[in-house]
Each structure stands twice: as C-alpha cells, then as structure tokens.
Amino acid sequence: MGCFEIGALWLMVTMISIHAHTSADGIQAECLGNRVQFILSGSLSAGSPLELYAVNDTQTVLLTPHLAAQCGYTQKSDPWGNMIVSASIQSCYAENQGDKEFRVAMQFKLYEFPTLSEKVHEVFKFCSHTMTSREILCETNFMEVSVRNAIPEIKTAPVQQLPTVIPNLQLWKILLYTPEEKSFNKETLQAMGYNVQSSPTRLVMRSPYNMVETFVQNVDDVDMVVFKSVVLFRDRWMMTIVESAAACPINGASVVGQMIYWQVPLHITPLVSLEVEILEVHVGINGRRLTPEEMESRNYAVTFKESHVVVEIPIGAADGYYKSHVLEDQYHVSYTIEPMLELLWKEGEDETTYKVLFPITTPLTPWPPQVTDYTQPEQRVFDVLLGYFLPDVELLNITIGSELHTVSEIIIKGINLQEHSFPNDTKAFALQVHFSEPYVQIKMFRPDVRTYILDLVFGFVILPEHTAFSHSVVLEAPLADIVLPHAEGSCNEDSFNIYVKYGSTPSSQVKIKLGRLELNNTILQQYEHHSNETHFEIIVPFLAPVVAFESVQLSGIIGRIDVKMYDSLNNWNFREFSLACPFFVILSECFSNGTVTVVLPKLELFPHILPGELSLRDPSCKPSYSQDYFAYFLFGVTTCGTTRKFVEDTMIYENEITWKRDVLLPETVLPEQEYRFTVSCVYIANATQSMIFHAVSHFKKPHADAGNGELTVSLRLSKDVVFRLFYHDGDYPVLKFLKQPLYFEVGMDHFKDSRVAVVLENCWATLSKDKESKPRWSLIVDGCANPKDPEQTIFHPVMADDRVDIPDHFKRFEVKTFAFKNDESSESEDDALARRVFVHCDVVICHVENTAGGRCYKECPAAQNLVGSSSNRVRRSSGFSEEALQHVSIGPILLI
Ligand SMILES: *[C@@H]1O[C@H](CO)[C@@H](O)[C@H](O)[C@H]1NC(C)=O
Ligand SMILES: *[C@@H]1O[C@H](CO)[C@@H](O)[C@H](O)[C@H]1NC(C)=O
Ligand SMILES: *[C@@H]1O[C@H](CO)[C@@H](O)[C@H](O)[C@H]1NC(C)=O
Ligand SMILES: *[C@@H]1O[C@H](CO)[C@@H](O)[C@H](O)[C@H]1NC(C)=O
Ligand SMILES: *[C@@H]1O[C@H](CO)[C@@H](O)[C@H](O)[C@H]1NC(C)=O
Ligand SMILES: *[C@@H]1O[C@H](CO)[C@@H](O)[C@H](O)[C@H]1NC(C)=O
Ligand SMILES: *[C@@H]1O[C@H](CO)[C@@H](O)[C@H](O)[C@H]1NC(C)=O
C-alpha cells in the first residue's frame, strides 16, 4: 500500500504578536493534513488561566467548549501542562482560498499570576491541502464531513454562442436522518449547535457528539455515531441534492495484557456502498501520521482482520502518558494514548478520506507503591525508598510516629528527604531517619535483639485535581545490640553464691527469683549482697528459707537453690538453673553430759510438714526452736522417750523425730510417705563418741506382692552394726565415709519354712550398676571372705529377734570400705576418694533335706570368723538346682 501524500507541505509558518510583550517562542503550529495544531507550551502558560479565541480578519470570538465543538476546534492539555489546540482547516473562522490554501489563526489570552494581568499570544498558520471528494473527520469533540459540491454546469444548446449558465443555487433545506428523516433550515440547525458551511465548491457539515439527532449504529461490532443529511440547493427552476454523512466510532478499543487493540471497520456501511477500494491506510498518534519505520520502532502494528483494521499499541508507549488515580485510597494508574487512523477509499470516481482521532485510556491498574528498605541496622539509620509514582504525584506530608510534618517542616528539621526521578518518568521518595529520633520505637521480641520500628504515613496529592491519598510504611530493623544478663552460682562452705552480670539490660528490668521468692529490697536486706550498675552478687546461707533440702545424709545435707533470672518487662527468661550444694555440717551432736541437739531442715519431699509440728517419740517433745524451714531439738538422753540399748561394749541411745498426723492430709499427699528420722548416740566404753545420726526419709511403698510363694531374697544395707534400720530404695545414693564400714544383710522375709537356709556364694562390688562391669572387687568368694584380703569382709551372726524369726533365712556381713581404695583397680587414690559403688551377691537357697550333693556344706578357714559363729559354717550342696541360685544387687553407695 503506497503512501498517499496529501498536500501537507509547510507553506508558511508565521507568528505575529499583537501585543508588544507577546513572545512566540512558546507556541508551535503545525499543519496535519486537514487539521492544524497549535501547542502552547506549559512553560509559557505556567498554569495561568487561559482563554482561547478564534480569529479571522474581522472577528475575534471566544471559544467556549460548545462553540469549539460546533465550529471545529478541539482543546486539550497533556500531563506536562501543554495546551494543545487543533482546528479543522475548514473551521468556522478559517480562511479558505480555493479549497487549497487555508489560514487558521488563534489567540491565547493568559491571565498571568499573580496580578492576573492579561497577556495575549496570537498565532496563525497557513496550510495547503488538496481535498478529496469527501473528507470525514472524527475529532474527539465533533464529527465533520466536507463534500465536493458538484453543482452541474448547465450547457445551453451549442449552436447559440451563449455563455455557460451557472445557476445561483441557494441552500434551501436540510434533511437530517435521525434515522427518520427530519427537515430543517440552515439557521435552525446552526441554532441547534450544528454547523453548515457551503461554498460554491464544497459543503461542510459539522456536528458535536451527543446531539439528539445523531444516532448510533453498530457496524461490524463497533458502535458508530452517524450524522447523516441530505442538503437541498435550489434555484428558481432547478434543485441539487448533496448527500453528506459522517460516522465515527465510539468504541472498539480493548486491552489484552500489555497491548491495546483498536479496531475500526473497514467498510463503514453508513458511508459506503459495497464496492469500495481501500487505497491507503495510515496510522498516526496525536494527529500526526507515523512512517512505517516509526511504527516499527515503537512496536505499533496495523493488521487487517476480515472486516476490520486493527491498530496494536503496547501500553506504555512513549507517545502516550500515564496518569495517576486513587481508587479506594490505593494508588492506581491509567495509560492514555490518542491514536489516529486514516483511510482513503475509492468508490467509483470518488475518493473519501476518513480520519478518526481516538483517545484510548486503559482501565485503572493498581500500582502499589514499593518500599525499598536500604536500612543497615548497624548504621542505626532507617533508609527507605518509596516509589514508584508518576510525575503528577506530589508528596505533601509525612506522619512520623503520630506527628504530622509537612515536607518543608521535615526539611527544616534536618531529616534527609529526597525526591528521585528516574529515566522511565517515575519518581520515588527517599527518607533517612536516625534510630535515635524520638518517634522511633523500640520493641523487643527477643531478649537479645532490639527492634527499632518506624511508622510512616506518606501523604500525597495527585495534580492537577488535588486528589489526596496516603501510603503507610512500617519499617523494622532488628539490631542485636544487647548483651544478655548472665547469672552463675557457686557453693561455699555454708552458703550459696549467686553472681549476676546485667549485660546491656537495665538492671531495673532484671529480676531474680530464688525458689519462689522474687528478690526485692525488703528481702535483699536479709542477705549479704553487693551490687553496682553492672553486677549483682548475693550470698544465701544454706539454712535460708529459699533453700530446698533434697536429702539429709549422715555427713550433712544437700541443699538446692533454684535461680531464675528474667526480664520483668517482657517476661523473658534469661536464665534458669538449680544449684545443688552439699553442706558438710554436723546436724546432730551428742554431748558427754547426755544432751543431744538436732537441727532438721524442712525437706522438699514433705512440703506439707511444718518443722514446728515435729516431735520426738514423746509427742510433747517439740522443737526447742523452729522456723518455717527448720526445727532445732535439744533433749537429754533420759527424756522424750529415748531408748537405751547395750550391744557388747557400746551403749546406744535412740530416738526418732516424726510427724504425727493430727489433721487429715489433702489428697495430693501420698499417704505412704512417712516422715521418720532416727537419732542415735553411741557411747563406747567410757568415751562419748560423737553423734551417729541417721537421717532417712522413709517411704513405705505400697506393699509389693511377694510372688507366688517363690523364695525371694533381698540385699539390704543396714544403717549400723545393730541391723535394725536399713536404707530403703528411696535413700539411694547413700552417702558413706570411707572409714565407715558397710553392713549388709541378705535375707528372705515373710518365709516360714525353717528347713531352708540362705547361703552366700559370691559377693562383689562394681562401679556401675552392671554386675559384670570392671573393675570389680571380690568381697565373698565361694561362700567365704575373699582369701586375698580376708580382713576386709567380716561375717556377723544373726540372732532371732522381733524381726528375725528364723536366723538361717538371713546372712550378715560387714565390709571395710577402704578396701575399695587399692584393690584390683589401677585408679589413683584421689579418684577412689569419691566413689560410687554397687554391691552384688549370688545367693543360694539350700534345703536341709537336700544333702545328697554336699554343696550346701562348706567350711571356711577359721581365721575369717572372728565375729561369726558356727552358723557361718554353711552347708552347701554341689548338686543344687540352678533355679535356686538368685542374684541380688544394691547401690549406688557414695563413698567419700
Ligand atoms: C469571519 O468569520 C465569520 C464567522 O464564520 C464569517 O461570517 C466572516 O465572513 C469571516 N470573515 C472573513 C473576512 O472571512
Ligand atoms: C522505573 O525505574 C526505576 C529505577 O530504574 C525502577 O526501579 C522502576 O521499577 C521503574 N518503574 C517502572 C514502572 O518501570
Ligand atoms: C497530609 O496529606 C494528606 C494526604 O495527601 C492530606 O489529606 C492532608 O490534608 C495533609 N495534611 C496536611 C496538614 O497537609
Ligand atoms: C518483697 O516481697 C515480699 C514477698 O513477696 C513482700 O511481702 C514484700 O511486700 C515485698 N516488698 C516490697 C518492697 O515490694
Ligand atoms: C561492679 O562490681 C564488679 C564485681 O562485683 C566489678 O568487677 C565491677 O568493676 C564493678 N563495676 C563498677 C562500675 O564499679
Ligand atoms: C551439756 O553440755 C553442752 C555442751 O557443753 C551444754 O551446752 C549444755 O548446757 C549441757 N547441758 C547440761 C544439762 O549441763
Ligand atoms: C576410760 O577413761 C579413762 C579416763 O578417762 C581412760 O584412762 C581409759 O583408758 C578409758 N577406757 C577405755 C576402754 O577407753
């Protein structure tokens, strides 16, 4: 398709000014085929109020929008503030010279700020244009059709030399099709807002859109406004009819993805008969045709579908522009472009130029502002970029925290606020706020991290409409600039030492709980403590109420303090630990004058027992002194129900401290727990030996089923040589000094058959629960004391008493614990000083009648049996069945 050059040559560009101060620099004029375009640059008008006048030799007429549409003028502005005025070359005030040359003149009257003084810019433009038979122009505010007024020449008979008669045809009547035919005269139509201009050569009809008499017709899926008329010219005796029709599309544009598709029917049926030949198709933007090269470089395309020509324009093409909008307080943009399509078709001999200017605005698209957070917390400055906005967006104010600051206030305050513009015609706002500013909040979601928070609301307006919108930004910068508080503890001889370093947490925020007691000033006064801004130290005596006693042993007590360090503001736990310390204290003393003293701390295991409610065997012997957490007893060995007993050359006084239940316990307390401590004073010969104090928390477990009549043996550790009190399961680990001997008993309880005897086969000690583990110390080998060290194990006789019915059912032996120091192990003495041992025995149950094998009878070397009696010459049966061999273990026993 070749390009059809319409006379669009520059004929002349002249600017005149009718006022001395008029400057022409800011106004461009350009001929665009059958249109002239004037651009008053935004820099010239600078937003001043403006009036537009059409000018011809005799008249200067103010163009109201209504008059502009009637007379063929269009006015619009672009986002850069330029005023664009276009006029048809056949507009009302244009001067037409022979349908070839046209002069269009305009006047721009500016009321300049601030005085609103008038400033007039006048400009005119000569354009030459070769008209086709019919020219249809679809402007944005009017439709115009110009047709050749083919008034016939009337030739008289050739014989007579008379001049050709040109009839004086006058416009008589106009029939408008709405689509029904209605008849008007020219004046009526003009008054209605139409424009009718006729010259001897051409008829120009112009209609604004939205006139009552125009109608919409669908042409190949595109709605078109049709303005159709028949104009009757009449002389006295002849009449000419000129048909004029314009049809302009009012839709046909669609957006798919990032493309705009604009379709225009190729055969605009209200205008053409069926046989038309399309000669040319041109696409332009803003009224200016584009060359194929320009089209390609901008990614525009024209395609032909069956009955349409389709113009494709990528959204964002440089010829259009974006515009900001606000929808539900959200930032949106639209894109607007004004493509132009020109068609030239031939119908018989007549050519029609069809030109449509069709502004397209895409639907609003949300353009959520992006926050780019450049903050580097270590720099302690918030650094944010909020973008991207179109140039028509202006930042008015920022609400920082809860304070609103206008942009100028922010700048005065010295806060760094910058507007950045980008080559893609967007802009963004950069803001920097130091962490130390008062509106920066600090929150702590973790104990070791401060999170700096900045709440911002940016207030914008869109110009020129001044539509306001806002965008909230919350910036968070976590910074690990915290040194956490640290707490540790250590054991002193008679106290706990708790040591705290506050780190970077304010000391007022660091709270310490000892047990269930939160330290406050009142409580602190009761303890020795040292503190300064950074450190805190407290010394808690072992008998303090906050100490929990886990167990009482012969050698002392094990006290535990639970330490919790936390943040009182956020309730974070900084550190929680328990410190258990052994305190080697003498809890009981036996004086030579017969006075016994006992200090008994409240035990954690018996939370319901108040020390003041404890008593000796005589319930009237209450503590001499007690507090919530300990009781102090002082009594004479002849009082309070103390018993006395002679065993060989020793005299043993014994009493018990118990708790007599006189109220019903709450259900949560296990009924089988029994509180019983035995106090013994052993006097040997004429010397008073210092106390022997057995402190045991005694559990009476629910009685275990003894089994289906089987012979079960157990291994027990006696508290002393008396073999009356034994350690129970709950007492382990049992603490013993190395110099103290261990007294073991192996026996069958609750078994009445006197024909059965318990015989020890082997006994040994290990360091772990596993009886096979190494190292191992042999205590009894083959029924006798270990022959390698016979001094170490001593058998004790068993006599019948209220507990022992049948002495043959029991065996007792004593082990000197220093034996573990330098036996078969290669460990150093130091290691051996604090040793955990387990004792194991293989036990044979012999039946007196089963003498056949002789294994139940064995003699040990007499030397071993210093204490033992003939009963130790056990009878052994070698043929004893395997089932009767039992294994028993006990432990751990701590030897220190
Ligand atoms: C000026 O325009 C008016 C209105 O169209 C017209 O009537 C008049 O003839 C024009 N004057 C000249 C000199 O063209
Ligand atoms: C505009 O340019 C900036 C900077 O190059 C870029 O980050 C932004 O995404 C661009 N925006 C659009 C809409 O292209
Ligand atoms: C701040 O900006 C918002 C949003 O544009 C606007 O509505 C408000 O009037 C502005 N306030 C002031 C005090 O400028
Ligand atoms: C300290 O704590 C104790 C026990 O919780 C409480 O009785 C006392 O009133 C507290 N003292 C102060 C000053 O808060
Ligand atoms: C606070 O006390 C600790 C020891 O408790 C000491 O090491 C530190 O130097 C003291 N700090 C000040 C500021 O006195
Ligand atoms: C017994 O001796 C202790 C320690 O010497 C002493 O405190 C106590 O008063 C004496 N008791 C009597 C009754 O003399
Ligand atoms: C009994 O005491 C006296 C004098 O205090 C002492 O000489 C004697 O050795 C003591 N007897 C025993 C068996 O310790």
Side-chain angles (χ1 to χ4, degrees):
M1 190 173 305
C3 261
F4 186 83
E5 269 301 316
I6 307 177
L9 295 172
W10 282 84
L11 188 74
M12 196 174 178
V13 182
T14 314
M15 309 272 198
I16 60 152
S17 59
I18 57 171
H19 288 275
H21 53 265
T22 301
S23 153
D25 290 347
I27 303 178
Q28 294 171 23
E30 192 178 357
C31 299
L32 299 167
N34 52 3
R35 296 167 71 246
V36 190
Q37 184 171 283
F38 301 95
I39 301 177
L40 175 74
S41 91
S43 61
L44 196 65
S45 61
S48 307
L50 178 137
E51 280 174 354
L52 186 64
Y53 292 84
V55 181
N56 71 5
D57 277 1
T58 54
Q59 281 181 300
T60 300
V61 181
L62 176 69
L63 284 177
T64 61
H66 182 81
L67 186 65
Q70 182 175 22
C71 277
Y73 297 89
T74 306
Q75 179 186 347
K76 64 176 184 180
S77 51
D78 69 11
W80 301 277
N82 300 317
M83 169 70 68
I84 299 148
V85 175
S86 29
S88 161
I89 53 171
Q90 295 175 90
S91 53
C92 296
Y93 302 93
E95 287 163 39
N96 177 347
Q97 287 166 13
D99 289 338
K100 280 195 158 52
E101 277 171 20
F102 304 86
R103 180 180 185 271
V104 179
M106 306 295 306
Q107 215 181 68
F108 296 89
K109 191 183 277 181
L110 289 173
Y111 293 91
E112 291 197 317
F113 290 124
T115 53
L116 297 184
S117 59
E118 283 181 27
K119 200 170 191 183
V120 176
H121 301 269
E122 192 171 306
V123 62
F124 67 83
K125 181 78 177 162
F126 276 111
C127 293
S128 64
H129 175 66
T130 307
M131 293 228 167
T132 53
S133 327
R134 179 166 64 158
E135 301 216 340
I136 295 165
L137 175 61
C138 296
E139 255 291 1
T140 53
N141 56 337
F142 65 85
M143 45 210 293
E144 179 188 279
V145 53
S146 163
V147 288
R148 184 179 295 142
N149 212 350
I151 296 172
E153 285 186 357
I154 300 164
K155 296 209 160 95
T156 49
V159 278
Q160 291 164 314
Q161 289 297 18
L162 285 171
T164 305
V165 175
I166 299 175
N168 183 18
L169 288 167
Q170 293 297 313
L171 198 154
W172 175 48
K173 215 190 246 180
I174 302 165
L175 303 177
L176 221 55
Y177 293 86
T178 70
E180 309 85 49
E181 183 184 295
K182 287 186 187 171
S183 167
F184 298 94
N185 62 33
K186 179 179 170 181
E187 288 67 34
T188 317
L189 268 189
Q190 299 259 55
M192 286 162 69
Y194 294 95
N195 188 247
V196 181
Q197 294 171 40
S198 62
S199 72
T201 48
R202 293 198 78 92
L203 169 72
V204 179
M205 299 287 292
R206 192 177 302 110
S207 164
Y209 290 103
N210 305 321
M211 296 297 275
V212 185
E213 290 73 20
T214 49
F215 64 96
V216 174
Q217 182 177 337
N218 188 283
V219 181
D220 289 332
D221 297 332
V222 175
D223 289 328
M224 303 195 97
V225 181
V226 181
F227 170 47
K228 192 170 183 179
S229 63
V230 167
V231 182
L232 308 179
F233 294 89
R234 188 174 85 158
D235 202 354
R236 274 159 308 151
W237 42 267
M238 69 173 289
M239 193 167 76
T240 307
I241 295 174
V242 179
E243 236 181 81
S244 81
C248 294
I250 53 172
N251 56 26
S254 57
V255 173
V256 178
Q258 282 300 298
M259 288 300 282
I260 297 170
Y261 296 90
W262 174 38
Q263 58 173 8
V264 179
L266 273 173
H267 298 275
I268 302 169
T269 43
L271 305 181
V272 296
S273 61
L274 276 179
E275 301 86 24
V276 294
E277 187 187 347
I278 306 278
L279 299 179
E280 292 177 23
V281 174
H282 300 279
V283 172
I285 299 285
N286 294 331
R288 189 181 292 113
R289 270 190 204 173
L290 296 175
T291 64
E293 294 73 31
E294 285 171 324
M295 294 273 289
E296 199 183 325
S297 73
R298 295 171 203 200
N299 289 321
Y300 302 150
V302 189
T303 54
F304 295 92
K305 290 204 293 183
E306 276 169 64
S307 50
H308 294 94
V309 55
V310 180
V311 179
E312 296 172 22
I313 298 166
I315 291 178
D319 293 310
Y321 58 87
Y322 283 100
K323 167 97 194 77
S324 299
H325 304 267
V326 177
L327 198 64
E328 290 162 353
D329 204 38
Q330 300 295 306
Y331 185 57
H332 284 69
V333 298
S334 64
Y335 174 75
T336 300
I337 191 163
E338 191 183 288
M340 175 185 81
L341 184 71
E342 284 181 89
L343 300 175
L344 178 69
W345 70 73
K346 193 171 176 186
E347 219 179 339
E349 288 305 304
D350 292 323
E351 286 182 351
T352 297
T353 313
Y354 181 79
K355 180 187 274 194
V356 47
L357 296 121
F358 196 79
I360 297 170
T361 296
T362 62
L364 304 194
T365 313
W367 238 38
Q370 297 164 32
V371 175
T372 314
D373 189 354
Y374 293 109
T375 307
Q376 289 177 298
E378 314 79 60
Q379 311 279 327
R380 308 184 68 82
V381 176
F382 283 109
D383 189 352
V384 66
L385 186 77
L386 179 65
Y388 296 87
F389 301 99
L390 296 181
D392 58 357
V393 170
E394 202 166 281
L395 177 64
L396 274 196
N397 56 52
I398 304 178
T399 306
I400 309 180
S402 53
E403 259 180 80
L404 188 137
H405 306 272
T406 61
V407 165
S408 52
E409 282 166 1
I410 288 170
I411 289 161
I412 289 166
K413 272 180 168 275
I415 296 174
N416 196 359
L417 174 66
Q418 285 174 341
E419 184 178 309
H420 294 300
S421 297
F422 299 102
N424 59 14
D425 223 5
T426 62
K427 63 180 175 186
F429 301 93
L431 180 71
Q432 289 174 346
V433 176
H434 199 272
F435 283 3
S436 62
E437 294 286 356
Y439 22 75
V440 174
Q441 299 173 49
I442 300 174
K443 282 198 187 150
M444 293 182 67
F445 302 107
R446 279 173 47 187
D448 56 337
V449 175
R450 276 195 194 102
T451 301
Y452 295 84
I453 298 173
L454 185 59
D455 270 309
L456 300 169
V457 182
F458 289 80
F460 297 100
V461 281
I462 295 173
L463 297 177
E465 317 87 274
H466 288 275
T467 316
F469 70 101
S470 60
H471 188 77
S472 303
V473 176
V474 179
L475 297 175
E476 287 190 6
L479 182 56
D481 52 358
I482 298 256
V483 180
L484 284 181
H486 173 78
E488 60 189 31
S490 57
C491 302
N492 293 345
E493 205 175 304
D494 58 356
S495 60
F496 298 90
N497 216 47
I498 313 292
Y499 185 73
V500 171
K501 273 196 265 179
Y502 292 128
S504 52
T505 311
S507 60
S508 62
Q509 218 169 304
V510 178
K511 292 276 181 250
I512 295 162
K513 234 180 177 177
L514 299 180
R516 273 190 231 115
L517 197 66
E518 188 183 302
L519 290 188
N520 62 22
N521 284 338
T522 320
I523 288 163
L524 269 184
Q525 279 164 12
Q526 302 163 15
Y527 297 99
E528 185 187 347
H529 65 278
H530 312 281
S531 68
N532 62 23
E533 302 233 308
T534 55
H535 292 74
F536 172 76
E537 187 180 11
I538 185 168
I539 293 154
V540 180
F542 81 97
L543 274 181
V546 294
V547 177
F549 293 101
E550 293 188 323
S551 68
V552 176
Q553 301 287 350
L554 191 59
S555 52
I557 52 178
I558 293 179
R560 194 191 72 236
I561 191 162
D562 298 325
V563 182
K564 185 173 170 182
M565 183 171 59
Y566 63 99
D567 179 319
S568 59
L569 211 63
N570 304 291
N571 228 11
W572 286 313
N573 232 356
F574 290 131
R575 184 152 153 71
E576 202 168 346
F577 63 96
S578 291
L579 181 64
C581 298
F583 297 102
F584 301 101
V585 289
I586 295 166
L587 293 173
S588 171
E589 270 187 286
C590 304
F591 295 99
S592 52
N593 61 9
T595 301
V596 181
T597 60
V598 182
V599 175
L600 206 54
K602 182 179 167 78
L603 280 182
E604 198 182 21
L605 215 52
F606 298 95
H608 58 283
I609 294 180
L610 298 175
E613 294 173 353
L614 297 172
S615 66
L616 290 160
R617 274 196 193 124
D618 178 347
S620 65
C621 288
K622 298 279 183 196
S624 329
Y625 178 69
S626 71
Q627 280 199 354
D628 287 352
Y629 49 97
F630 73 88
Y632 173 74
F633 289 90
L634 186 147
F635 60 99
V637 291
T638 56
T639 61
C640 293
T642 312
T643 56
R644 188 173 61 170
K645 196 166 59 176
F646 294 96
V647 177
E648 291 168 15
D649 53 349
T650 62
M651 191 164 58
I652 301 170
Y653 290 94
E654 223 175 61
N655 206 329
E656 281 178 342
I657 295 171
T658 55
W659 181 67
K660 307 276 185 317
R661 240 174 247 193
D662 34 49
V663 283
L664 223 57
L665 288 178
E667 289 215 338
T668 47
V669 178
L670 300 171
E672 62 267 23
Q673 288 180 1
E674 190 187 332
Y675 188 91
R676 183 180 299 275
F677 288 90
T678 304
V679 185
S680 310
C681 289
V682 180
Y683 294 83
I684 299 173
N686 59 0
T688 302
Q689 194 165 54
S690 192
M691 62 90 194
I692 293 176
F693 175 65
H694 306 283
V696 175
S697 58
H698 185 101
F699 291 89
K700 263 192 198 158
K701 301 233 161 109
H703 194 263
D705 191 358
N708 43 8
E710 263 190 47
L711 306 174
T712 50
V713 288
S714 56
L715 173 58
R716 288 182 284 255
L717 178 63
S718 169
K719 293 183 177 175
D720 51 34
V721 70
V722 185
F723 289 98
R724 292 290 303 274
L725 294 166
F726 297 92
Y727 293 99
H728 293 79
D729 291 353
D731 302 331
Y732 291 93
V734 169
L735 200 66
K736 289 283 179 186
F737 293 111
L738 266 179
K739 61 181 182 202
Q740 288 180 295
L742 301 176
Y743 301 98
F744 295 99
E745 179 185 271
V746 176
M748 290 189 290
D749 294 314
H750 322 296
F751 195 64
K752 302 290 176 213
D753 190 345
S754 59
R755 294 164 300 170
V756 170
V758 166
V759 173
L760 297 178
E761 179 124 326
N762 292 303
C763 289
W764 67 99
T766 59
L767 294 181
S768 84
K769 205 169 178 145
D770 177 11
K771 66 182 163 100
E772 308 295 345
S773 66
K774 293 276 159 63
R776 149 187 182 128
W777 291 266
S778 293
L779 306 173
I780 293 169
V781 180
D782 226 6
C784 299
N786 179 11
K788 285 185 191 159
D789 190 3
E791 306 292 309
Q792 156 206 294
T793 306
I794 301 165
F795 286 98
H796 283 269
V798 183
M799 314 287 192
D801 59 19
D802 54 350
R803 193 175 63 88
V804 178
D805 243 1
I806 305 160
D808 270 353
H809 286 185
F810 296 87
K811 285 287 172 292
R812 289 171 180 169
F813 60 98
E814 174 188 333
V815 176
K816 301 262 190 284
T817 50
F818 56 78
F820 301 120
K821 278 174 78 173
N822 48 9
D823 202 62
E824 295 149 38
S825 106
S826 59
E827 282 169 67
S828 74
E829 294 206 355
D830 282 351
D831 286 338
L833 282 176
R835 186 157 273 169
R836 234 168 136 245
V837 297
F838 293 81
V839 173
H840 316 270
C841 286
D842 290 332
V843 183
V844 180
I845 295 166
C846 291
H847 201 281
V848 282
E849 289 170 1
N850 184 8
T851 56
R855 250 195 84 173
C856 276
Y857 303 91
K858 183 163 185 201
E859 294 276 335
C860 290
Q864 290 184 20
N865 301 304
L866 295 172
V867 186
S869 69
S870 61
S871 69
N872 193 47
R873 282 189 285 275
V874 290
R875 297 159 290 177
R876 298 182 51 123
S877 166
S878 56
F880 212 76
S881 64
E882 275 295 307
E883 284 83 0
L885 188 79
Q886 291 197 21
H887 177 80
V888 285
S889 291
I890 198 169
I893 301 161
L894 293 176
L895 300 175
I896 59 172

